[in-house]
Amino acid sequence: MPLSPRVPEIGALELLLAVARLGSVGRAAAEIGVSQPTASARIKGMERQIGVPLLERSPRGSRPTEAGRLVVEWARQVVEAAQALDAGIDALRERRDARLTVVASLTVAEYLMPGWLLALHATNPGTAVTLRTANSADVAGHVLSGDADLGFVEGPLPPAGLAGAVVAADRLVVVVAPDHPWARRRSPLSGAELSATPLVLREPGSGTREVLEMALAPYGGAAPPRLELASSTALKAAAMTGAGPVCLSELAVVEELATRRLVAVRLAEELDLRRPLRAVWPAGQRPSGPARDLLALTRRTAGTHQARMAQARTLPPRTAARPATGTGAASGTAGSAARSERPVLRARPDRSRKS
């Protein structure tokens, strides 16, 4: 049953209790944090609302009337119940704010999330964070089902059913081993050439794969991949062991490009492989608690990230030994990394080496 319009609000009842305890509207107003005229007006409004006088006023102060004493007693019980409710809500919020579950695409999880979570820990040291990784399509499913408080995906638009905000920008690069013919070519690689070449790619559903396929759609789409691998580490290892050209995030290959273990192939200007990195949450909701704090932190650091990536592009390559192709340490490491990922397609001949 709904409450009668004669029931005062909690703030007015708290003021009445303060007047009864302190014996003065002025002192009660100071304790509550309002002016005396405001407190007097609120008491008079409550008397009109209830329909009976609640205070006897005199030069010596104010005290409850007979009816006022009854209302004061009832008000005390209501305010105590409201205080218990307030304490319970605080406890629930503290429990919620002590946990944060994030699911992120592999690129974001590997190369951006560690720094973000360290910064979050500095401001929210009591928050326990669980980080899960998935491709962008699966990230959307986790967020929509409520398994995660916040998700991070790669791609031009937020997945269906999710709202989002761009928190960083990235671009894809095509990289090859230093002895690959593309490493020495002088002309930029055209969209038609890239479209016709079997590449080593991420699996379907990844944001990297989606952006590449959209960019190559005007040229007939991407050729069937030579290999499909499920992580940037496996892609880099495949490229360094000569499996073929690889398309992956620039974030993933900064060190390999600087040491010439991999070489970035210059692409024609017609190929736009830039992509936003986006935080997502269920449409119609807004992140709250530590999820809101993490989102704000990613936005504050977006400019720093872009400046760092721009600086990395201008650094001259550092001298490094060419990776061994036999049984040396470099090839052993790369080979074991590549074998740890199970390709879902048979390898196709790397026809790009004949070009």
Side-chain angles (χ1 to χ4, degrees):
M1 188 174 96
L3 291 174
S4 161
R6 293 185 296 275
V7 177
E9 62 176 11
I10 295 294
L13 296 179
E14 288 182 307
L15 175 61
L16 178 63
L17 291 177
V19 173
R21 176 165 45 83
L22 298 173
S24 164
V25 173
R27 287 196 290 272
E31 181 177 273
I32 296 295
V34 298
S35 66
Q36 182 168 345
T38 297
S40 297
R42 190 173 295 178
I43 292 291
K44 290 177 181 177
M46 185 164 44
E47 289 175 326
R48 288 193 299 270
Q49 183 180 7
I50 295 174
V52 295
L54 299 175
L55 295 179
E56 293 178 353
R57 299 164 178 84
S58 71
R60 295 188 299 275
S62 300
R63 62 179 185 177
T65 62
E66 183 176 350
R69 285 193 292 273
L70 288 173
V71 174
V72 164
E73 185 58 34
W74 297 330
R76 182 174 291 110
Q77 298 175 48
V78 171
V79 170
E80 288 175 353
Q83 290 170 340
L85 174 62
D86 189 26
I89 291 172
D90 276 347
L92 288 175
R93 289 179 62 87
E94 287 176 3
R95 286 174 55 192
R96 181 205 64 188
D97 291 352
R99 296 191 303 272
L100 173 64
T101 300
V102 179
V103 59
S105 66
L106 293 178
T107 298
V108 176
E110 288 184 66
Y111 301 103
L112 293 175
M113 193 60 67
W116 288 342
L117 293 184
L118 282 174
L120 180 68
H121 178 72
T123 57
N124 300 53
T127 299
V129 180
T130 298
L131 173 62
R132 300 172 183 166
T133 59
N135 65 35
S136 292
D138 291 336
V139 168
H142 285 297
V143 175
L144 284 170
S145 68
D147 290 340
D149 302 302
L150 195 63
F152 291 87
V153 297
E154 311 152 15
L157 296 171
L162 298 179
V166 174
V167 297
D170 184 27
R171 68 170 184 170
L172 304 184
V173 292
V174 176
V175 296
V176 294
D179 60 352
H180 191 282
W182 283 4
R184 298 184 297 276
R185 64 180 291 153
R186 296 181 179 180
S187 61
L189 188 68
S190 69
E193 288 178 280
L194 187 60
S195 175
T197 303
L199 305 174
V200 181
L201 297 176
R202 285 283 307 278
E203 77 287 357
S206 76
T208 298
R209 179 78 168 262
E210 178 187 7
V211 171
L212 177 67
E213 290 177 343
M214 289 180 63
L216 294 182
Y219 309 98
R226 295 198 68 242
L227 291 173
E228 289 178 335
L229 300 173
S231 74
S232 297
T233 301
L235 289 173
K236 290 189 291 185
M240 286 188 283
T241 54
V246 169
C247 182
L248 76 174
S249 167
E250 182 181 36
L251 288 166
V253 290
V254 171
E255 181 63 23
E256 288 77 10
L257 294 179
T259 57
R260 292 285 295 182
R261 285 178 288 166
L262 289 173
V263 177
V265 181
R266 189 158 63 98
L267 302 178
E269 293 183 1
E270 67 200 41
L271 283 171
D272 185 5
L273 297 183
R274 293 171 298 176
R275 62 176 179 175
L277 304 179
R278 192 182 303 269
V280 293
W281 56 87
Q285 302 180 22
R286 290 293 299 173
S288 59
R292 178 194 59 230
D293 297 339
L294 177 59
L295 179 59
L297 187 152
T298 62
R299 287 169 166 170
R300 288 197 301 270
T301 59
T304 303
H305 159 70
Q306 297 309 319
R308 187 166 60 247
M309 293 307 300
Q311 182 182 29
R313 292 183 201 121
T314 64
L315 291 175
R318 298 199 296 272
T319 302
R322 178 175 294 183
T325 57
T327 57
S331 64
T333 302
S336 62
R339 288 192 296 272
S340 67
E341 300 289 343
R342 181 178 298 173
V344 298
L345 292 181
R346 289 184 177 179
R348 299 173 183 266
D350 181 8
R351 304 186 188 281
S352 63
R353 287 185 173 268
K354 298 180 180 180
S355 59

